[in-house]
Amino acid sequence: MPGSWTYRPWSHGSEIELGHLAATQAAALACHVHPDVQVAAVTEGWRMYRTTFGEFRALAGEIVVIPAGVPHGSCGGATAIVTHLYVPSNHAAVRGISKPHRIRHSRAALPNEILDAIGSYDRWPREPTLPAECSALTELVSCDDLDIRTIAARQGRSTDGFIRLFKRDVGMTPASYRLALRLASARSQLKRGNTVADVAYAGPFSDQSHLGRLFRRAYGATPAAYRSAFAD
């Protein structure tokens, strides 16, 4: 399919995941989150990443790094070749990165070159990713057994006030952020080999089609295709 992403492990047993886009038409991804640091290297065309901290437009030869847990969506030109690396936050190359950042003129294309470019870069922002108050809100929103009204009350706020504050600081409404966390969880379960039906049921999503639509919108691939890429 034009504009679809493919995913696979970097190597057998590696914790790093690779994503690849070879677009023949404009390909956009809805706002989502990752438990790992996302490293995006553009080798042809351009790619725009929209985050709470602003927009980061990468041209060919440039890299955009987005810390774990930071909501972001992306779009790009009609023709683009992009490689994503999803790197655990404790990996030496990305440890301590706190805000999205763009590296210019890296010219890195292969995964090991991209990691080397990240590891050797010395101008990372070091401020906290989110204010302490906002971090507490995101943690509460991830609890599926609490509704938004209850979470707002625990914070001493009205429901509307809580939603406005959360959207201002995080870039998504609490409901949208909770859905993004569920999709990230579904992605992890599929990587472990759980069936699409079981993941949809555990989500909870209304059915496999519901999961499929949302998953494709956020990650550019179907759940079945993603799962099969990590099968032994």
Side-chain angles (χ1 to χ4, degrees):
M1 280 176 237
S4 63
W5 285 83
T6 57
Y7 298 93
R8 64 176 178 85
W10 183 3
S11 61
H12 182 71
S14 174
E15 293 184 336
I16 298 176
E17 177 183 334
L18 296 183
H20 183 72
L21 174 69
T24 56
Q25 66 182 33
L29 296 180
C31 196
H32 58 280
V33 298
H34 293 287
D36 297 321
V37 177
Q38 176 179 294
V39 179
V42 179
T43 53
E44 184 176 324
W46 61 273
R47 192 79 183 163
M48 175 79 77
Y49 296 86
R50 297 187 177 94
T51 78
T52 313
F53 301 93
E55 295 183 342
F56 298 82
R57 189 173 191 265
L59 303 175
E62 298 183 336
I63 297 173
V64 171
V65 181
I66 302 175
V70 173
H72 60 280
S74 63
C75 63
T79 302
I81 297 177
V82 186
T83 297
H84 279 185
L85 274 65
Y86 303 93
V87 186
S89 298
N90 60 359
H91 191 285
V94 299
R95 189 182 301 125
I97 297 175
S98 60
K99 284 187 176 182
H101 194 70
R102 178 180 62 168
I103 300 177
R104 299 183 179 182
H105 314 304
S106 77
R107 301 184 183 276
L110 299 176
N112 59 332
E113 295 173 344
I114 297 168
L115 280 182
D116 287 345
I118 299 300
S120 61
Y121 192 73
D122 59 1
R123 287 179 285 176
W124 296 110
R126 298 299 177 184
E127 299 85 354
T129 301
L130 295 171
E133 178 185 19
C134 190
S135 295
L137 300 183
T138 59
E139 181 178 359
L140 287 174
V141 169
S142 69
C143 299
D144 283 342
D145 59 339
L146 295 177
D147 61 28
I148 303 303
R149 181 178 300 177
T150 301
I151 297 170
R154 287 189 174 193
Q155 294 291 313
R157 302 182 185 278
S158 68
T159 302
D160 289 345
F162 174 82
I163 292 173
R164 284 195 300 270
L165 174 67
F166 192 93
K167 186 172 183 180
R168 183 196 70 192
D169 288 345
V170 179
M172 306 172 77
T173 66
S176 295
Y177 188 80
R178 174 175 280 173
L179 176 59
L181 292 175
R182 289 173 176 170
L183 284 170
S185 175
R187 180 169 167 148
S188 296
Q189 293 175 60
L190 291 166
K191 188 186 296 187
R192 293 195 298 267
N194 293 10
T195 68
V196 177
D198 286 345
V199 171
Y201 178 78
F205 301 93
S206 58
D207 53 30
Q208 293 184 59
S209 295
H210 183 216
L211 170 61
R213 289 192 300 273
L214 296 175
F215 196 93
R216 177 68 189 273
R217 191 181 304 162
Y219 304 124
T222 67
Y226 183 83
R227 179 181 182 275
S228 67
F230 293 89
D232 290 334

